[in-house]
Amino acid sequence: MADNYRTATGWSVEVVERSGTPDHGDGQQLRVRYHGFYVADVRTVAELEQYFPLADLELDALTLAT
């Protein structure tokens, strides 16, 4: 299971593996959610930083429990 990360302000990030996409966007991407709602799939950390400061990310405690 991939690590999930969260911020105190409601953002979450998880690593997802995409395959067989019609736009050939296969490979690992970072899935961005805000309060559980899908926002975007991004490929780079620079794209991720458009949504919130990376310093706000913390490893999700629920991920550590599994």
Side-chain angles (χ1 to χ4, degrees), residues 9-51:
T9 57
W11 291 97
S12 64
V13 177
E14 66 179 309
V15 178
V16 296
E17 184 73 34
R18 295 181 63 197
S19 62
T21 59
D23 63 353
H24 302 289
D26 298 350
Q28 284 191 341
Q29 294 187 357
L30 301 170
R31 178 152 296 154
V32 182
R33 295 180 185 269
Y34 186 66
H35 291 286
F37 292 95
Y38 172 83
V39 175
D41 287 338
V42 298
R43 290 190 177 274
T44 66
V45 173
E47 289 177 285
L48 182 61
E49 210 165 19
Q50 294 175 17
Y51 297 97

Side-chain angles (χ1 to χ4, degrees), residues 4-8 54-61:
N4 293 323
Y5 298 87
R6 295 194 178 278
T7 69
L54 295 180
D56 292 353
L57 279 177
E58 298 176 356
L59 191 58
D60 186 358

